[in-house]
Amino acid sequence: MSRIETFNLPDLGEGLTEGEILAWLVKVGDTIELNQPIVEVETAKAAVEIPAKWAGQVQAIFHPEGTTVEVGTPIIAIDTDPGAGPLDAPSTTATSGGDLPTPSAASLAAVEVAPAEGMVEPGLIGGPAPGGRTAVLVGYGPRTTAAKRRPRKGAVPAQALAAPAPAVDHGVVVGDKPASSPIVPAPQVHDRGDGATGGPVLAKPPVRKLAKDLGVDLGTLTGSGPLGSITREDVQRAASGTTVTAEPITATAVATSAASFGVDREQRIPVKGVRKLTAENMSRSAFTAPHVTEFLTVDVTRAMKALDRLRGRREWRDVRVSPLLLVAKAVLLAVKRHPMVNSTWAGDEIVVKEYVNLGIAAATERGLIVPNVKDAGRLSLRELADALTDLVQTAKSGRTSPADMSGGTLTITNVGVFGVDTGTPILPPGESAILAFGAVREMPWVHKGKVKVRQVTTLGLSFDHRIIDGELGSKFLRDIGDFLADPEAALLAWT
């Protein structure tokens, strides 16, 4: 058995297909322990530290920080028995200290993923990995079903049979001692059918699989990706009968179309990670669930006074008490009175959930995320306050886990912190309602027959009209408003 174990970027079980390497926590030559965090990866949902599957010595790091890597792609090689002496493989290229070897162009085509029928794709949890092992995350057992992935545009279910990719041995020189460098299989040579052979077909494994599914011959395409590699768009254009010759966009071309402005006055921001997932989810929700939004303006003066009294109590002096806490409590009590609001449209049935995983939209440096408080309806007011504080602090530090952002059933977005009165929020996929909580302002208000300055806010409730009709949505929003207008009276009346 080979001493060199190659660690592939794992599927984190959330249907993710790629991740960006934010930071390497180890370098070549380091001795690591089992389960020691070795790399921080930003997925489409959060930044996650991935632990080592083996103890040993780091022999190679295949991708530098800032690289976006497909799930199942080798990212690091580990010598699991460094005390056994020098490696037997010949030395070819020296890599010292923390230098990061860049894979060659041919290595992009070295692995081809095309799982046989009934098999789990290589790189997925429970699927084959180099050396005949089963790919699992440390602390999780192997499973025999692939993680559910987001469907890609134009994808067709695969039924092709193909052998799994061969294992690859890796090695490097550590310090001044000779060792082996990463050994890459010879690139594929494509036969074009006219007796001539072309160069290697450069395409990532998911692109190759898509081409097989769509019946597209990769050798006939001109790649528009890095190093002339073939992208998904190239394959999809070929499948639809549209051929586009990839031409680089030059500064001259830009200047021709916009002569008044140069490219130095434009900023291009890659769409990836959290921002990419948010865009996909919002687009899917906006054009799938028929949205209806209702608004309600509420005098919350009594609620703000109740918060002041709560802060003054001895047992609450170290607790963060904010208007969001009362809004969350109001939503949870209103759900008990109108349980259909806490449901999911499942095609031929509606799933009404007896638990509330309360999502709180949070703006972070990486984009908008919506972590949720699990089973929030069972928490006391003090427990809810602590849970909200922990959720917000974790989100701002960028340490929210994918599990904390999964399974939400109903969401609150606090746009008031930005000084906004309210909005028309878009439903998170799988949820039937989302509440926008606006800024609390001092405004003239008719109170007991006289115009007085009162503290007022505006609520905006968006809901899925397939599940929630106007009557139900209005009653739910009215109950939230009643609680915020007079929390003590509502608690006495409803509990």
Side-chain angles (χ1 to χ4, degrees):
M1 180 178 176
S2 174
R3 289 166 43 186
I4 302 298
E5 298 286 1
T6 302
F7 183 72
N8 297 342
L9 181 67
D11 184 341
L12 300 177
E14 295 295 329
L16 305 174
T17 60
E18 63 184 16
E20 179 185 355
I21 296 176
L22 293 180
W24 281 104
L25 308 180
V26 296
K27 61 182 182 295
V28 173
D30 282 357
T31 299
I32 60 176
E33 299 178 355
L34 179 67
N35 290 343
Q36 175 182 334
I38 56 175
V39 63
E40 183 180 16
V41 175
E42 182 185 39
T43 68
K45 292 190 174 183
V48 180
E49 289 185 352
I50 298 179
K53 292 170 60 176
W54 308 279
Q57 187 179 63
V58 177
Q59 290 296 299
I61 293 176
F62 301 116
H63 300 279
E65 296 175 358
T67 304
T68 298
V69 181
E70 298 278 353
V71 167
T73 302
I75 58 174
I76 190 172
I78 300 172
D79 182 355
T80 58
D81 190 12
L87 295 171
D88 295 334
S91 173
T92 57
T93 303
T95 301
S96 61
D99 293 339
L100 303 176
T102 302
S104 65
S107 67
L108 294 175
V111 180
E112 181 172 347
V113 177
E117 184 176 357
M119 294 177 61
V120 181
E121 292 183 37
L124 296 188
I125 299 174
R133 301 179 303 281
T134 299
V136 297
L137 277 176
V138 174
Y140 297 83
R143 77 182 186 192
T144 57
T145 58
K148 184 176 181 182
R149 293 179 178 275
R150 297 189 298 274
R152 295 187 180 274
K153 183 178 180 181
V156 179
Q159 300 295 336
L161 298 177
V168 180
D169 289 332
H170 301 276
V172 296
V173 167
V174 179
D176 298 328
K177 297 181 180 180
S180 61
S181 63
I183 301 174
V184 180
Q188 295 180 344
V189 178
H190 181 76
D191 186 354
R192 303 185 182 278
D194 56 1
T197 57
V201 178
L202 303 183
K204 293 182 179 180
V207 178
R208 291 181 178 276
K209 183 177 182 298
L210 177 62
K212 284 181 177 290
D213 294 344
L214 300 181
V216 174
D217 184 356
L218 292 178
T220 64
L221 304 184
T222 300
S224 61
L227 302 177
S229 61
I230 296 172
T231 66
R232 291 180 181 275
E233 290 73 18
D234 296 333
V235 174
Q236 290 168 348
R237 282 196 294 264
S240 63
T242 304
T243 58
V244 178
T245 302
E247 296 182 358
I249 300 176
T250 64
T252 303
V254 175
T256 301
S257 59
S260 301
F261 304 100
V263 294
D264 58 329
R265 298 183 65 185
E266 297 178 349
Q267 182 182 12
R268 296 181 180 268
I269 302 174
V271 179
K272 57 184 179 180
V274 174
R275 188 178 299 275
K276 181 177 181 180
L277 180 65
T278 300
E280 293 173 351
N281 286 342
M282 293 300 96
S283 297
R284 183 168 70 252
S285 177
F287 295 102
T288 300
H291 284 56
V292 172
T293 304
E294 293 186 338
F295 305 96
L296 179 64
T297 303
V298 184
D299 176 3
V300 294
T301 305
R302 288 184 178 178
M304 296 303 102
K305 291 180 178 179
L307 285 178
D308 291 337
R309 292 196 297 271
L310 192 61
R311 294 187 187 102
R313 296 184 66 88
R314 182 174 58 257
E315 62 270 28
W316 281 80
R317 288 175 183 171
D318 296 329
V319 181
R320 186 176 185 274
V321 179
S322 69
L324 179 62
L325 175 61
L326 285 188
V327 175
K329 188 63 177 180
V331 168
L332 294 171
L333 289 175
V335 166
K336 290 182 178 180
R337 292 167 56 82
H338 309 285
M340 183 65 75
V341 172
N342 188 49
S343 58
T344 297
W345 181 267
D348 56 351
E349 61 183 1
I350 296 173
V351 182
V352 182
K353 299 172 182 177
E354 297 180 356
Y355 57 89
V356 181
N357 291 341
L358 184 63
I360 304 295
T364 70
E365 292 182 357
R366 294 188 175 96
L368 177 70
I369 63 174
V370 188
N372 59 78
V373 179
K374 306 297 183 186
D375 210 2
R378 293 182 177 271
L379 302 180
S380 66
L381 187 64
R382 172 61 185 269
E383 292 171 336
L384 183 60
D386 291 339
L388 291 176
T389 299
D390 181 67
L391 179 147
V392 172
Q393 290 178 347
T394 302
K396 288 183 177 179
S397 67
R399 298 295 176 182
T400 303
S401 69
D404 290 336
M405 291 185 284
S406 301
T409 64
L410 196 146
T411 295
I412 299 172
T413 175
N414 185 9
V415 298
V417 297
F418 306 110
V420 175
D421 290 330
T422 190
T424 56
I426 297 177
L427 293 169
E431 299 182 21
S432 62
I434 178 173
L435 180 75
F437 173 41
V440 177
R441 304 182 185 278
E442 290 188 342
M443 297 179 63
W445 191 265
V446 177
H447 178 66
K448 295 182 180 180
K450 296 181 180 179
V451 177
K452 297 183 178 181
V453 175
R454 305 285 288 181
Q455 292 180 288
V456 178
T457 190
T458 301
L459 308 173
L461 178 71
S462 291
F463 52 86
D464 187 340
H465 214 356
R466 296 173 299 182
I467 302 174
I468 304 172
D469 57 25
E471 179 184 10
L472 176 58
S474 299
K475 288 181 176 179
F476 179 72
L477 182 59
R478 180 70 264 175
D479 278 356
I480 296 173
D482 286 347
F483 180 91
L484 295 176
D486 193 344
E488 294 96 335
L491 285 173
L492 291 174
W494 298 348
T495 59

